[in-house]
């Protein structure tokens, strides 16, 4: 691969701006090209939670929560940055724990996976289908969510994701949404290169409590229809 491709990938770190986490990320990425993507105030997500509560009940019994909305929205902001840059990006959450230095993702094989797959994950994953090549997470029969702690995406696939978001925003939490091709509008792949995991000592910016359950029979019918329509 040409040297210019090796310099074409940038890291985007999703964060609430917590000082300890920001300092931790700065240590991880010292000497690397990265940019923080800051989430909006939590109060904004509370309003969105009210707006999308009934809509999300049509996709799962528990409604989507403010923290889940915040996580989803901040990832979309990172996708837009990737699109505007015209270069692939590696999206990282600030509760990441790197097993291997993040610079590993600037090596040729990792960058090739990003270009070839379009959306590819570098996070530890229990349900490995192929230890040597990328595989689609939608092929995992256990129907596991797509880990959002560390993944690469091309501008073209980021456009696909934004297109899917425009149709089914906040229907499900982002990790589940990304694992469903008919919602996200593209396949998400798991890479054999594993460099990160979610830190057990740090929470995500997603929900801190469970969503409200719906017992409305009509929601149950629509939810069944959506499960068939979107195949999840």
């Amino acid at each position: 691969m040409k040297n210019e491709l090796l310099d074409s990938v940038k890291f985007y770190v999703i964060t609430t701006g917590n000082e300890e986490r920001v300092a931790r990320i700065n240590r991880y990425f010292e000497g690397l090209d990265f940019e923080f993507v800051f989430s909006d105030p939590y109060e904004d997500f509370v309003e969105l939670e009210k707006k999308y509560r009934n809509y999300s009940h049509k996709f799962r019994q528990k409604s989507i929560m403010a923290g889940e909305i915040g996580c989803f929205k901040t990832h979309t902001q990172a996708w837009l940055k990737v699109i505007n840059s015209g270069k692939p990006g590696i999206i990282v959450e600030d509760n990441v724990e790197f097993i291997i230095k993040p610079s590993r993702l600037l090596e040729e094989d990792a960058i090739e996976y990003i270009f070839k797959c379009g959306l590819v994950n570098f996070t530890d994953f229990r349900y490995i289908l192929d230890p040597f090549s990328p595989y689609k997470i939608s092929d995992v029969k256990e129907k596991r969510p797509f880990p959002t702690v560390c993944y690469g995406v091309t501008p073209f696939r980021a456009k696909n994701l934004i297109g899917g978001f425009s149709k089914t925003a906040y229907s499900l939490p982002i990790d589940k949404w990304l694992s469903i091709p008919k919602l996200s509008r593209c396949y998400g792949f798991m890479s054999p290169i594993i460099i990160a995991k979610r830190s057990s000592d740090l929470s995500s910016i997603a929900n801190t409590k469970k969503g409200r359950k719906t017992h409305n029979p009509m929601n149950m019918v629509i939810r069944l229809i959506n499960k068939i329509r979107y195949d999840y």
Side-chain angles (χ1 to χ4, degrees):
M1 179 176 288
K2 295 180 180 180
N3 289 334
E4 54 263 30
L5 292 184
L6 298 176
D7 297 327
S8 67
V9 177
K10 182 175 180 177
F11 292 92
Y12 297 90
V13 182
I14 290 172
T15 183
T16 58
N18 176 277
E19 290 184 4
E20 290 184 5
R21 296 191 183 198
V22 167
R24 182 170 169 270
I25 290 296
N26 279 323
R27 290 193 296 271
Y28 270 137
F29 287 95
E30 185 176 1
L32 299 177
D33 184 17
F34 82 98
E35 177 182 341
F36 283 112
V37 182
F38 292 92
S39 67
D40 294 338
Y42 184 80
E43 293 73 21
D44 293 354
F45 304 140
V46 173
E47 292 303 311
L48 287 172
E49 176 187 319
K50 296 175 184 177
K51 178 180 178 180
Y52 285 94
R53 179 177 296 147
N54 291 336
Y55 175 69
S56 65
H57 275 153
K58 294 173 173 58
F59 289 83
R60 68 172 187 172
Q61 189 176 24
K62 295 177 182 177
S63 63
I64 195 163
M65 299 301 295
E68 293 171 325
I69 288 174
C71 184
F72 205 144
K73 185 176 182 182
T74 314
H75 276 269
T76 65
Q77 292 169 348
W79 300 338
L80 289 171
K81 287 181 177 291
V82 171
I83 293 169
N84 291 334
S85 75
K87 299 177 181 180
I90 297 171
I91 316 299
V92 176
E93 293 181 344
D94 69 358
N95 61 336
V96 65
E97 179 180 333
F98 284 106
I99 305 168
I100 302 172
K101 290 183 179 180
S103 58
R104 170 67 179 87
L105 295 181
L106 299 180
E107 295 182 19
E108 186 171 329
D109 55 350
I111 294 178
E112 282 185 342
Y113 285 151
I114 298 173
F115 275 94
K116 289 179 178 179
C117 298
L119 175 64
V120 62
N121 210 295
F122 301 104
T123 311
D124 183 35
F125 188 68
R126 297 180 184 180
Y127 301 88
I128 298 173
L129 296 184
D130 188 337
F132 305 108
S133 302
Y135 55 91
K136 292 182 290 187
I137 194 167
S138 55
D139 286 342
V140 177
K141 65 179 181 180
E142 288 81 5
K143 296 187 180 297
R144 305 306 300 171
F146 184 87
T148 54
V149 71
C150 181
Y151 63 93
V153 62
T154 61
F156 190 76
R157 285 292 169 264
K159 288 180 181 179
N160 293 145
L161 295 175
I162 291 296
F165 177 78
S166 69
K167 299 295 184 181
T168 56
Y170 311 129
S171 53
L172 294 166
I174 185 173
D175 55 352
K176 184 63 177 176
W177 186 87
L178 283 170
S179 72
I180 304 170
K182 289 186 178 181
L183 288 177
S184 66
R185 294 191 172 182
C186 66
Y187 286 117
F189 290 81
M190 299 304 299
S191 166
I193 299 173
I194 298 171
I195 75 149
K197 65 177 183 177
R198 192 177 300 280
S199 174
S200 58
D201 299 327
L202 298 172
S203 62
S204 74
I205 65 172
N207 59 308
T208 56
K209 58 181 180 178
K210 295 182 178 180
R212 296 183 183 181
K213 286 186 176 182
T214 176
H215 300 287
N216 185 325
M218 183 57 67
N219 281 338
M220 184 170 63
V221 172
I222 296 174
R223 193 160 59 247
L224 179 61
I225 292 171
N226 279 333
K227 282 180 176 288
I228 295 170
R229 178 182 179 185
Y230 295 108
D231 190 22
Y232 71 97

